Amino acid sequence: MSEAPIVGTRPTGASVALLSMLPLVRPSATQRVQTGDLLFVHEPCGGGIGAAIEQTGQATVRWMHSHGAPEATQETASHVALAWRRAADDELFLVEALEPKVRLTSAHDFFTRSGANAVFYLATFVDQQMRQARGHAANIALAQVGKPYADEFQPPPASFYCSSLIEYAFGQALGGEAHPFNPEPFVLIFEPESFWREYYAKLHRTVPTNITGSNPTLLLHSRALSFQIYQVDAITGTFGAPRISGSGRFSLGSEGDSYDETDLY
C-alpha cells in the first residue's frame, strides 16, 4: 500500500500570513468515517441545477480568494451530509437535507446512488472546539429529520438545504454561533443568473438578494476542516485510495490502491 498522503491543518481564525507556517500531519492510510465527520459529493453534471450548482461553487472559490483565503483550491462540491454511527451496531448513516425533506440515509445508499464519475470528499475537523462538538451536532441534525427541504434556500430552522443543515447543527452545538465554519457572513451566490431567474420563477418568486447562508463548496474550504478525496466503485463496493488530499492549499496524494469498504464504513 502506498504511503499515506500529507494533509495540512488549518486552525480556525488562522491569518493568511500564518498559513505557510502551519504544521503537517500524516493521517492513517485507512480513515474510518466517524460520527460528526462530513461527506461532500462532487458529481459532474451536463446541465440543469447540477451545472448551476457547479458554477455557483466556482464563484464561491473566487469569492474566498477575494476575501483573504488564497489557500482555497479549486475543488467544488454539490452536496454535503453529516455522518452518524448507530450505537447499537455501529452502522454508518448520513443525515442529509435532500428533496423533499431531511432524511437519514444508509451509507450504502448514499455512496451507490451517485454516478460512476462521482468524487467524495471525507472532511474531518482540525478545529478542536468543533471536533468536540461533533456528537452534539449529529444529535441536533437527527432532530431535524422529516423537516422539509428549503427549495428557496431560506434560512433554518423551519426547513433546510444541505449545507444549512450542517451549519445549523454545528452552530447550535456551539451555543448558537451564527457562522461556525467561516469568520464572516456569506451572501448567497446565484450563478448563472439566467438559470436562477427561471428556477425562482417556477416557484413564483424572484431571486433573493442579500440573503446570507452557505453552500457545500464554502463549507468544504472552511479552515475548520481538512479533507481527503475518494472515488467509489459502486459495483464492487470498494474505495480507491485518496488520490488528492487537502485542506485548501495542499494537493498531495497517491493513486492506485483500493481499500475494502469497511475501511470507511
Side-chain angles (χ1 to χ4, degrees):
M1 183 172 292
S2 61
E3 184 179 36
I6 297 173
V7 178
T9 62
R10 291 180 301 180
T12 297
S15 69
V16 173
L18 290 176
L19 286 171
S20 61
M21 302 170 59
L22 294 176
L24 297 177
V25 296
R26 193 176 297 273
S28 168
T30 57
Q31 187 166 0
R32 193 163 181 265
V33 181
Q34 303 292 336
T35 291
D37 288 347
L38 302 182
L39 279 156
F40 295 82
V41 184
H42 172 82
E43 189 166 10
C45 300
I49 193 167
I53 291 174
E54 170 69 16
Q55 290 189 44
T56 297
Q58 293 169 358
T60 299
V61 171
R62 294 193 297 271
W63 179 89
M64 296 184 75
H65 288 168
S66 68
H67 284 72
E71 77 279 6
T73 50
Q74 299 301 314
E75 292 89 356
T76 62
S78 55
H79 184 58
V80 60
L82 189 151
W84 174 72
R85 285 195 175 275
R86 188 166 56 193
D89 54 11
D90 203 38
E91 185 173 354
L92 177 65
F93 295 85
L94 285 306
V95 191
E96 57 180 341
L98 194 67
E99 289 186 325
K101 61 184 179 181
V102 179
R103 64 185 70 181
L104 190 62
T105 305
S106 72
H108 178 271
D109 289 348
F110 181 85
F111 287 113
T112 58
R113 74 185 179 205
S114 301
N117 294 321
V119 175
F120 297 87
Y121 304 74
L122 172 57
T124 55
F125 287 92
V126 296
D127 178 88
Q128 190 62 30
Q129 185 180 21
M130 294 187 73
R131 185 175 181 84
Q132 292 174 349
R134 290 178 303 169
H136 190 190
N139 289 334
I140 291 171
L142 284 166
Q144 314 312 314
V145 169
K147 288 189 177 180
Y149 182 80
D151 55 0
E152 296 179 29
F153 301 98
Q154 59 267 39
S159 58
F160 296 89
Y161 52 92
C162 68
S163 58
S164 75
L165 174 66
I166 307 304
E167 191 171 47
Y168 176 82
F170 277 92
Q172 292 300 301
L174 293 171
E177 188 172 332
H179 309 288
F181 286 87
N182 293 285
E184 62 180 283
F186 175 75
V187 177
L188 292 182
I189 296 171
F190 296 96
E191 289 195 11
E193 293 181 5
S194 58
F195 172 86
W196 292 108
R197 281 198 299 269
E198 183 178 344
Y199 175 91
Y200 276 94
K202 292 177 180 178
L203 299 173
H204 307 290
R205 298 284 188 272
T206 57
V207 179
T209 57
N210 297 321
I211 180 172
T212 59
S214 62
N215 64 47
T217 298
L218 183 74
L219 267 56
L220 177 67
H221 291 289
S222 167
R223 291 174 180 171
L225 297 172
S226 177
F227 63 83
Q228 291 182 317
I229 305 178
Y230 294 84
Q231 284 186 304
V232 177
D233 186 328
I235 297 176
T236 64
T238 57
F239 290 76
R243 62 179 181 82
I244 303 176
S245 297
S247 58
R249 66 194 179 101
F250 294 97
S251 294
L252 305 176
S254 57
E255 298 183 359
D257 294 333
S258 64
Y259 301 148
D260 184 81
E261 61 182 351
T262 55
D263 286 334
L264 287 176
Y265 67 88

